[in-house]
Each structure stands twice: as structure tokens, then as C-alpha cells.
């Protein structure tokens, strides 16, 4: 039987279900198609989803209880100069300081499958239909328009618009003639190991910090071939995720023997890297090994970056649209942002009865204007780093690491971040308290034991008085911001101006400010520690209800 | 039917994928790029042409397809609901 939908979303990874949910929320008849048997079966990733994905992403994620493994409060970079003699420098300047950490996190580490499933369930609850075990193999094309999909079972399913969320390989987008195959030097193959480790040990050895390693080629730790790639280890709840990655082809068009190199490097890392060998290795058990490519340098190539991301009747989102970041290899926030924008434009197009390229081009305009997407796909520190590696230039290497994964990143990131933050505040002044509640709720989720369905540490709720005091505080903040929003036009302009100048201001001032800043943080340590404990106690004991956010209206579209 | 592999723990393969990766003999130059990047050891070279040894440990990463600049690899996804799956990705 040939059915007809308003929207078909192809792929239930990180981006697809968000687009499907928002379209269904708007009352559109929506179908979400996934080739795996269960949602998330085939999604392989790191993974830290950076905080900006949560605070600027879909409201249902921000205001909900998504499943994650552990908050992450920063990165510790190991710069490996001589592995045999243990000569390793450290840059751990990028870290959320106490008392904010770990409640205010830099990101959340998560397994893909439970997260994608959680998203897909939200799409179903909103009214979307999910069809798994179905590979889309082609499109129905009529008069130059995509009019639906053809599945591997030969079924033709029609729709007004197709949202393509198939992931980075883009087999369908290529088939539809929207874009071409990405060249191998823009793709990095990630060899991933999953290890079980007791939570107490992770708490002690990693805490909330992601570990990254960089170094000279001949150290055979990371990265192979001076190619700007590294080794990353993510702490999860009761496990570690280990990833070494390498581009499929060098700039000199050489395809490295990755099979041999990865094995050699893995052996070297696990037997020589001091913290791994001494602290981690005796306490872990290998649980899984798998690999997947990700698009590491697509955004740096202007031809690839400007490949079309829409055509008549179709919009591309997330990885298939080339939106993965070049530095943190983060693609989830951009998949969410683009899913929201695609849903917004698709809904408008269907309402206007115009699914043509020229209408859908509004999608591309918004993507090109999105400050965080554009920063993340065009950040160059990782790319430059490999040249420093090749040249054995230690000063440069350290600068790029500092600018990519240390405090120096503030000189690149602050402008896009503030710009978006101010726009969000302009559109919804109460967003500030929503963000606060999000962080508190997520912390409660972190101490919640999903297996036993109890909080890991005992919680007994605070006396009612303190809770209501807190709630009154939040209400006052909201009221104050709302009152202030009368002058919206005036202050947004000033603030945006401020945001636009932030990066250049910080580039000038940060080198001098940084040592003082870090000193101040360490001087504050004893007080911060105390404050942190009190804050954690408060969040732990608070009634989860107070961190909930009222349901947003059906049909609301953000972005 | 579901298979596992001692070499790669934590991953299962649902059978019935079909021949989702195919090599075009005429285009293949035997450059061995596909062999170098396939962590699942799915290829072998016989008389200077790549052949698929087995897709039993294929993780569907598409690296072979990316590095085959001759366009000799025809890459598709397996039949819906088949192929690799994992809880730990
Ligand atoms: C090793 C690795 C580490 C990463 N680390 C991070 C990180 O730390 N932080 C971060 O934010 N991001 C990270 N990423 C990137 C992130 O995983 C992606 O950007 C994100 O998954 C993109 O979402 P998406 O919806 O575009 O595609 P995906 O999540 O890849 O989803 C695509 C879905 O479509 C399905 N599909 C594909 N083709 C078809 C078809 N023809 N028919 C039906 N279904 C189909 C697939 O099975 C899949 O479920 C990492 C990626 C990798 C590979
Ligand atoms: S990469 Fe392509 S051309 Fe080279 S051996 Fe493999 S199939 Fe043949
Ligand atoms: S898709 Fe990946 S695992 Fe499968 S054959 Fe190609 S390179 Fe090997």
C-alpha cells in the first residue's frame, strides 16, 4: 500500500528524531525511517555533547531528562614529547572552575543508543510514526522534485518534503545529486574501545575530565603521521570510551595503513602511557571495539562547505549536510540546531504550499547565519596543529592545543556564544532560569541510578521553606529580566555589539589575564570547595519537581 | 540469526545483509587502499585485484569506499534490520 505523509525524515540518529518530533508537534503527518533494527544500533560516537547543544538546542532536550553517562567539566591535554622517558607536558586550562563544576558542565558524555532512543520516543509521543529495519535506497522524483522515498523492500512512500538525516556518508544525498562524496582527507576513521571500569575508580582517576593526548609522530601515541588527530578518553558512568583517530588520506594523497598503525599505536599507548599503564590498565575490562568515520575537515574546504544542503522537496541536516565540528569533533549540537531550523522551514513550506528550492533556501540562509555552527565547522586549530607536528615546532603545537582545547579557545568561541546567548535572552527572557534548572536537573540525573531507579546518594528533600525560597528567587529573576525586556531593542543592540568585539578583546587581553585568572581560581580553591559542597547538597536534596520546566506549547518551533 | 566475533567483542551482526559492497574488477587497479583502511580485514588481493574475503566483521564505516579513488567500490547499506549493531557506540 502506498501511503502519503507530509514529512519523511530519513535516519533516526541524533538529528532525525528532533526534526520528526518538531514536525509532528506542528501537526504534520510525519514518518521517521531508520535502517537499523532498533534506533541507535548503528550510531557510533565519542562522545561529549558540548553544553551549547543543550542550552541552544531543542527545548524538549533542555527541559527534559535525556539519558547521559557523566557530566564533563573540561579537558586535560597531555603533550607527549618523549614517551620512553615520560616527558609529557600538560595543558588543563580549559575547565569549569569550582564551585560551578560539576553542576555547570562543559558537556555531557553519553552512549549513542540510549540517547537516540530517548529522542525517537519523544518523536513518537508527539505523533510521528517510526519505521525501523528499513533502508531508504532512492527517492521518488517527479518534475525535478523529491516526492518521497523508495525503500529496500521496493515500497514507495510519498511525502511533501524529505528531511535527510542519514549521517556523514551521504549515500542518498549523492544519489539525489545534491552533493558529492567527501574526499578521504576530510574523513577521520575513529578506532573505538569501550572498557568497563568501576565508578569509584573513574571518580578518582578521571573525575569529570576528558583526557586528550597529542605529540610527536615518532612517539607513536598520537597522532599517527603528524595529521592533527589525537587520542581521547572519555569517562562514563561505569565505563571508559577510548578513541584514536586518523584521516583516511594525507594532504600528500597517501592512504596510511591504518589497520597496522592503529594496532601498533594502541599497544604502545596502553603499555607506555604512564597514567594508562599504571592507573587505568589494571582496573579495566574490554567490553567492545568498533570503528566509524567522522567528517573532520569538511567545513574547512570552501567547496565542500558550500555544497547545497537542500533541493526541491528535500533538506539535509546534521552530518550529511557537512556540519560536524573540526576541533571537538562534535556534530551533535549542529545536528540538533539544523534539525530545528529544517523543521521550522519545512513546516512553513508546507503551510505555504511551496516546497521549491527557492523557498527552502531560507534553510541554508539560517545555517550560514548560525554563529555556533559556523564557528565549529571552520575552526582551524586542529588543522594547523598537524603542521606544527610535522615541523616539530613545540611553541606552535602548544599554542594550537591551547587555542583549540585550552583556555585560548575563549578567543574564538566567546563571540559566537555570546551572540547566540543574547539572541536567546531577547526572545525569551525567562531562558536564564530554564538554563539554571537544566543544569540542576541534569546533575540530579547524574546521581540517579538508572538500574535501580534510585538516587545513588541518599536524597531527602529539603524542608519546604528553603525550596520555596529558591523558587521565589527564580521567579524574581524572571520578573526582573521581563521588566528589563521593555528595553529589549536598546540593550540587544548594545549586547550584540559587545559580543562581536569579545573575541578580539580577549585575544589581546587573555595572554596577560590568564595567569592571574588561574591564580585567582587556585587561591579561591578552599572557598570554592566549600561552596561546591553546599551547592551539591542543595541540588541533591531538592525536590526534582522544582527543576522541571512547564511543557512548552504544541506547535512551538524554536531556532 | 545473530553472529558475534571473538576479535571484536560487544558487537553483533544480524545476518541477511546481501552483498552490499561490490568491487568492479575492471576499475580496480589493485592499489590496496581498501585493505589498508579496513579494520575488519574484509578484503584481500588476488592476482592484483581486490576481492571481498568476507563481510562478517564489517562495521559499515565506508572507509573502503572513501579511499577507492578509482570508483571500483560500489557501496550500499545492508538490507534494513541486518548488519552490525552495538549497545556501546
Ligand atoms: C567516533 C566518533 C566520535 C564523535 N564524537 C563526538 C563528540 O564527542 N561530540 C559530538 O557532539 N559529536 C561527536 N561525533 C559526531 C556525531 O556523532 C555526529 O555528528 C552525529 O551523530 C550526527 O547526527 P546525524 O543525525 O546527522 O547522523 P547520525 O547520528 O549518524 O544518524 C544517521 C542515522 O541514519 C540512519 N541511516 C543512514 N542511511 C539510511 C538509509 N538509507 N535509510 C534509513 N536509515 C539510514 C543510520 O542508521 C543512523 O541511525 C562523533 C562521531 C564519531 C563517528
Ligand atoms: S581501493 Fe579500489 S582500486 Fe584500490 S584495490 Fe581496493 S577496490 Fe581496487
Ligand atoms: S565498510 Fe569499513 S569495515 Fe566494512 S569493508 Fe569497508 S572499510 Fe571494512
Amino acid at each position: 500500500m502506498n501511503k502519503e505523509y507530509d514529512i519523511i525524515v530519513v535516519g533516526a540518529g541524533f538529528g532525525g528524531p528532533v526534526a520528526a518530533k518538531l514536525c509532528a508537534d506542528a501537526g504534520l503527518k510525519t514518518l521517521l525511517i531508520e535502517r537499523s533494527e532498533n534506533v541507535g544500533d548503528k550510531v557510533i560516537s565519542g562522545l561529549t555533547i558540548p553544553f551549547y547543544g543543550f542550552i541552544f538546542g531543542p527545548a524538549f532536550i533542555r527541559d527534559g531528562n535525556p539519558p547521559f553517562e557523566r557530566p564533563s567539566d573540561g579537558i586535560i591535554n597531555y603533550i607527549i614529547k618523549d614517551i620512553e622517558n615520560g616527558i609529557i607536558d600538560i595543558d588543563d586550562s580549559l575547565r569549569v572552575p569550582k564551585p560551578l563544576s560539576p553542576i555547570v558542565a562543559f558537556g555531557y558524555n553519553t552512549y549513542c543508543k540510549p540517547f537516540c532512543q530517548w529522542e525517537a520516543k519523544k518523536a513518537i509521543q508527539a505523533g510521528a510514526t517510526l519505521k525501523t529495519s528499513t533502508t531508504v535506497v532512492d527517492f521518488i522524483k517527479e518534475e525535478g522534485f523529491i516526492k518521497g522515498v523508495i525503500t529496500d523492500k521496493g515500497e514507495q512512500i510519498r511525502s511533501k518534503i524529505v528531511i535527510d538525516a542519514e549521517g556523514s556518508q551521504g549515500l542518498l544525498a549523492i544519489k539525489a545529486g545534491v552533493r558529492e562524496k567527501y574526499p578521504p582527507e576530510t574523513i577521520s576513521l575513529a578506532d573505538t574501545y569501550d572498557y568497563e571500569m568501576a565508578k569509584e575508580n573513574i571518580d578518582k582517576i578521571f573525575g569529570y575530565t576528558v583526557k586528550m593526548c597529542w605529540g610527536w609522530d615518532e612517539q607513536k601515541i598520537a597522532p599517527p603521521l603528524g595529521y592533527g588527530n589525537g587520542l581521547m578518553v572519555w569517562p562514563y558512568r561505569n565505563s571508559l570510551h577510548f578513541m584514536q583517530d586518523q584521516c583516511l588520506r594525507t594532504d600528500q594523497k597517501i592512504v596510511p595503513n591504518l589497520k597496522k598503525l592503529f594496532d601498533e599505536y594502541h599497544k604502545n599507548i596502553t603499555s607506555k602511557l604512564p597514567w594508562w599503564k599504571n592507573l587505568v590498565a589494571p582496573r579495566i575490562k574490554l567490553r567492545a571495539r568498533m570503528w566509524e568515520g567522522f567528517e573532520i575537515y569538511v567545513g574547512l574546504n570552501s567547496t565542500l562547505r558550500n555544497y547545497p544542503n537542500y533541493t526541491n522537496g528535500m533538506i539535509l541536516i546534521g552530518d550529511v549536510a557537512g556540519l560536524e565540528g573540526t576541533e571537538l569533533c562534535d556534530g551533535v549540537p549542529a545536528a540538533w540546531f539544523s534539525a530545528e531550523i529544517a523543521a521550522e522551514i519545512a513546516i512553513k513550506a508546507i503551510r505555504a504550499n511551496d516546497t521549491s528550492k527557492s523557498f527552502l533556501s531560507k534553510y541554508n540562509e539560517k545555517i550560514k547565519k548560525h554563529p555556533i555552527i559556523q564557528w565549529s565547522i571552520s575552526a582551524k586549530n586542529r588543522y594547523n596543529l598537524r603542521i606544527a607536528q610535522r615541523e616539530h615546532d613545540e611553541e606552535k603545537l602548544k599554542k594550537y592545543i591551547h587555542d583549540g582545547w585550552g583556555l585560548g579557545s575563549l578567543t574564538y568561541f566567546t563571540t559566537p556564544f555570546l551572540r547566540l546567548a543574547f539572541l536567546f535572552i531577547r526572545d525569551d527572557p525567562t531562558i536564564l532560569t530554564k538554563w539554571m534548572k537544566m543544569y540542576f536537573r541534569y546533575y540530579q540525573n547524574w546521581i540517579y541510578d538508572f538500574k535501580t531507579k534510585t538516587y545513588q546518594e541518599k536524597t531527602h528533600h529539603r524542608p519546604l521553606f528553603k525550596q520555596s525560597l529558591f523558587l521565589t528567587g527564580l521567579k524574581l529573576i524572571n520578573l526582573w529580566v521581563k521588566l528589563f525586556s521593555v528595553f529589549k531593542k536598546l540593550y540587544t543592540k548594545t549586547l550584540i555589539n559587545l559580543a562581536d568585539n569579545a573575541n578580539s578583546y580577549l585575544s589581546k587581553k587573555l595572554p596577560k589575564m590568564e595567569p592571574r585568572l588561574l591564580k585567582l581560581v587556585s587561591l579561591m580553591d578552599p572557598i570554592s570547595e566549600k561552596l561546591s559542597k553546599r551547592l551539591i547538597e542543595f541540588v541533591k536534596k531538592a525536590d526534582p519537581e522544582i527543576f522541571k520546566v512547564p511543557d512548552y506549547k504544541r506547535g512551538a518551533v524554536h531556532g | 540469526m545473530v553472529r558475534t566475533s571473538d576479535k571484536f567483542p560487544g558487537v553483533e551482526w544480524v545476518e541477511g545483509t546481501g552483498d552490499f559492497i561490490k568491487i568492479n574488477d575492471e576499475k580496480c587497479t589493485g592499489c590496496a587502499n581498501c585493505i589498508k583502511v579496513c579494520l575488519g580485514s574484509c578484503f584481500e588481493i588476488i592476482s592484483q585485484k581486490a576481492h571481498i574475503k568476507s563481510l562478517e566483521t564489517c562495521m559499515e564505516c565506508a572507509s573502503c569506499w572513501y579511499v577507492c579513488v578509482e570508483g571500483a567500490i560500489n557501496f550500499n547499506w545492508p538490507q534494513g534490520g541486518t548488519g552490525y549493531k552495538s549497545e556501546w557506540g
Side-chain angles (χ1 to χ4, degrees):
Chain A
M1 198 181 73
N2 293 340
K3 295 179 202 117
E4 183 149 1
Y5 290 85
D6 293 316
I7 300 270
I8 294 176
V9 181
V10 182
F14 277 97
V18 169
K21 177 185 156 46
L22 298 179
C23 291
D25 272 343
L28 297 184
K29 199 171 170 209
T30 308
L31 176 67
L32 175 60
I33 304 184
E34 169 55 48
R35 70 184 182 93
S36 56
E37 190 183 353
N38 290 296
V39 170
D41 274 351
K42 292 184 188 280
V43 189
I44 297 176
S45 203
L47 161 115
T48 300
I49 305 178
F51 72 99
Y52 42 83
F54 292 93
I55 66 174
F56 299 133
F60 78 93
I61 299 177
R62 181 194 67 216
D63 299 343
N65 294 294
F68 60 82
E69 286 283 320
R70 185 179 286 261
S72 150
D73 74 354
I75 299 173
I76 174 160
N77 293 283
Y78 295 89
I79 304 160
I80 295 159
K81 298 196 289 190
D82 180 354
I83 191 70
E84 301 295 340
N85 297 304
I87 302 176
I88 297 172
D89 290 344
I90 282 178
D91 183 336
D92 62 351
S93 54
L94 188 68
R95 153 187 315 267
V96 180
K98 281 195 168 156
L100 299 175
S101 154
I103 291 176
V104 175
F106 171 78
Y108 293 88
N109 305 343
T110 167
Y111 282 113
C112 299
K113 189 169 169 177
F115 208 109
C116 294
Q117 292 204 339
W118 180 86
E119 286 184 16
K121 272 188 207 149
K122 296 284 172 196
I124 296 168
Q125 280 163 13
T129 307
L130 172 70
K131 192 174 170 75
T132 53
S133 294
T134 306
T135 305
V136 172
V137 293
D138 210 341
F139 298 104
I140 304 171
K141 288 177 212 150
E142 280 167 14
E143 293 155 12
F145 276 72
I146 303 281
K147 291 279 188 184
V149 301
I150 303 172
T151 73
D152 55 351
K153 292 166 191 92
E155 201 180 2
Q156 301 209 356
I157 314 174
R158 299 181 68 85
S159 68
K160 293 178 183 138
I161 290 183
V162 172
I163 294 181
D164 182 5
E166 63 178 308
S168 60
Q169 290 86 356
L171 300 186
L172 292 170
I174 296 169
K175 204 160 204 174
V178 183
R179 74 151 164 92
E180 287 169 36
K181 176 174 162 182
Y182 293 139
E185 47 270 39
T186 63
I187 303 294
S188 193
L189 178 61
D191 187 13
T192 311
Y193 291 72
D194 184 72
Y195 295 99
E196 286 176 277
M197 188 176 194
K199 183 175 171 292
E200 315 80 88
N201 289 327
I202 302 179
D203 290 346
K204 257 186 254 148
I205 300 165
F206 288 82
Y208 298 103
T209 317
V210 174
K211 292 185 189 276
M212 293 186 82
C213 294
W214 314 93
W216 306 129
D217 290 1
E218 68 278 7
Q219 298 306 318
K220 298 200 170 175
I221 294 289
L225 309 172
Y227 213 67
N229 306 58
L231 159 72
M232 289 181 82
V233 183
W234 287 270
Y236 284 7
R237 197 176 284 269
N238 309 298
S239 57
L240 294 180
H241 229 57
F242 170 114
M243 174 182 115
Q244 44 183 20
D245 75 282
Q246 172 59 47
C247 285
L248 291 172
R249 192 165 74 174
T250 67
D251 276 354
Q252 292 76 36
K253 310 267 182 233
I254 297 165
V255 174
N257 192 334
L258 292 184
K259 195 173 140 40
K260 189 168 149 268
L261 282 168
F262 278 144
D263 285 343
E264 195 182 331
Y265 278 59
H266 187 257
K267 218 188 238 157
N268 212 33
I269 294 160
T270 50
S271 63
K272 291 186 184 157
L273 191 62
W275 56 264
W276 185 277
K277 185 175 77 178
N278 302 326
L279 299 173
V280 178
R283 298 179 174 86
I284 52 171
K285 191 172 151 235
L286 178 65
R287 176 161 64 186
R289 181 183 170 193
M290 63 221 113
W291 54 88
E292 172 68 303
F294 62 94
E295 37 188 65
I296 193 167
Y297 292 134
V298 169
L300 292 190
N301 178 319
S302 66
T303 310
L304 310 186
R305 188 173 60 240
N306 291 313
Y307 272 158
N309 48 26
Y310 61 94
T311 185
N312 291 324
M314 174 153 110
I315 303 176
L316 274 51
I317 66 166
D319 277 9
V320 65
L323 299 185
E324 215 177 310
T326 53
E327 269 167 16
L328 294 168
C329 60
D330 61 315
V332 174
W336 290 344
F337 301 152
S338 58
E340 284 195 288
I341 299 171
E344 179 196 331
I345 301 299
I347 293 162
K348 282 187 184 153
I350 288 175
R351 286 188 183 145
N353 206 8
D354 181 359
T355 62
S356 69
K357 255 189 209 175
S358 75
F359 194 100
L360 300 184
S361 67
K362 293 188 180 76
Y363 167 73
N364 184 45
E365 283 162 24
K366 289 205 161 192
I367 295 287
K368 292 281 187 297
K369 269 197 219 143
H370 195 290
I372 292 202
I373 293 182
Q374 292 307 318
W375 155 75
S376 100
I377 64 171
S378 62
K380 283 209 180 74
N381 285 302
R382 189 192 284 265
Y383 189 83
N384 290 337
L385 181 142
R386 65 201 183 143
I387 296 160
Q389 273 171 335
R390 212 176 287 155
E391 294 167 355
H392 247 272
D393 188 328
E394 186 172 331
E395 200 181 318
K396 266 196 203 153
L397 179 77
K398 287 187 169 163
K399 180 187 165 3
Y400 293 132
I401 291 174
H402 191 65
D403 284 356
W405 305 269
L407 206 60
S409 54
L410 290 185
T411 61
Y412 298 84
F413 173 67
T414 310
T415 291
F417 168 76
L418 285 181
R419 206 166 215 283
L420 209 53
F422 292 146
L423 291 175
F424 266 71
I425 296 167
R426 181 196 64 188
D427 292 346
D428 174 8
T430 66
I431 193 92
L432 286 170
T433 55
K434 285 180 187 156
W435 286 338
M436 229 156 107
K437 284 186 175 189
M438 178 198 95
Y439 276 123
F440 288 167
R441 184 168 0 89
Y442 280 15
Y443 187 77
Q444 282 207 336
N445 290 355
W446 152 240
I447 57 168
Y448 186 75
D449 185 336
F450 286 90
K451 279 201 198 101
T452 58
K453 296 211 175 3
T454 51
Y455 287 91
Q456 291 188 350
E457 292 150 71
K458 255 208 184 127
T459 53
H460 48 88
H461 300 142
R462 286 233 140 186
L464 222 63
F465 170 68
K466 293 218 170 151
Q467 280 185 36
S468 49
L469 203 69
F470 175 72
L471 278 180
T472 314
L474 287 185
K475 274 188 193 139
L476 279 175
I477 296 179
N478 275 347
L479 188 72
W480 187 79
V481 183
K482 266 187 195 153
L483 281 177
F484 204 58
S485 68
V486 178
F487 309 104
K488 205 147 88 174
K489 267 202 183 137
L490 200 75
Y491 74 74
T492 310
K493 219 172 164 190
T494 319
L495 289 179
I496 294 279
N497 205 351
L498 199 85
D500 287 347
N501 289 313
N503 276 357
S504 59
Y505 176 81
L506 282 171
S507 327
K508 268 187 238 131
K509 300 281 175 184
L510 196 68
K512 272 205 185 130
M513 259 157 58
E514 192 178 323
R516 279 183 238 155
L517 214 72
L518 294 178
K519 197 162 179 200
L520 186 75
V521 170
S522 69
L523 275 176
M524 294 269 296
D525 254 0
I527 310 169
S528 304
E529 194 64 40
K530 262 195 204 147
L531 274 174
S532 170
K533 279 198 180 127
R534 291 189 72 156
L535 190 62
I536 286 175
E537 277 311 297
F538 176 77
V539 176
K540 256 191 208 167
K541 289 178 181 170
D543 181 347
E545 281 300 311
I546 70 169
F547 300 139
K548 284 210 174 130
V549 178
D551 251 353
Y552 31 93
K553 280 193 199 81
R554 265 186 165 255
V557 181
H558 304 259
Chain B
M1 277 289 285
V2 175
R3 272 183 299 102
T4 54
S5 152
D6 294 343
K7 258 170 111 188
F8 306 115
V11 181
E12 293 182 335
W13 285 268
V14 179
E15 286 180 352
T17 56
D19 295 335
F20 59 100
I21 302 176
K22 289 190 202 112
I23 298 168
N24 180 336
D25 252 13
E26 266 159 40
K27 287 189 182 167
C28 176
T29 59
C31 72
N33 282 349
C34 51
I35 295 193
K36 289 189 200 161
V37 299
C38 180
L39 305 187
S41 310
C42 297
F43 300 92
E44 60 190 343
I45 297 253
I46 303 172
S47 20
Q48 283 164 27
K49 300 275 174 198
H51 289 267
I52 290 169
K53 206 160 49 180
S54 152
L55 291 176
E56 289 202 346
T57 49
C58 173
M59 218 73 81
E60 298 159 32
C61 70
S63 298
C64 50
W65 169 73
Y66 278 118
V67 297
C68 182
V69 283
E70 308 299 333
I73 294 187
N74 181 333
F75 189 88
N76 291 293
W77 297 127
Q79 197 70 15
T82 71
Y84 96 88
K85 58 178 192 173
S86 178
E87 298 291 314
W88 313 114

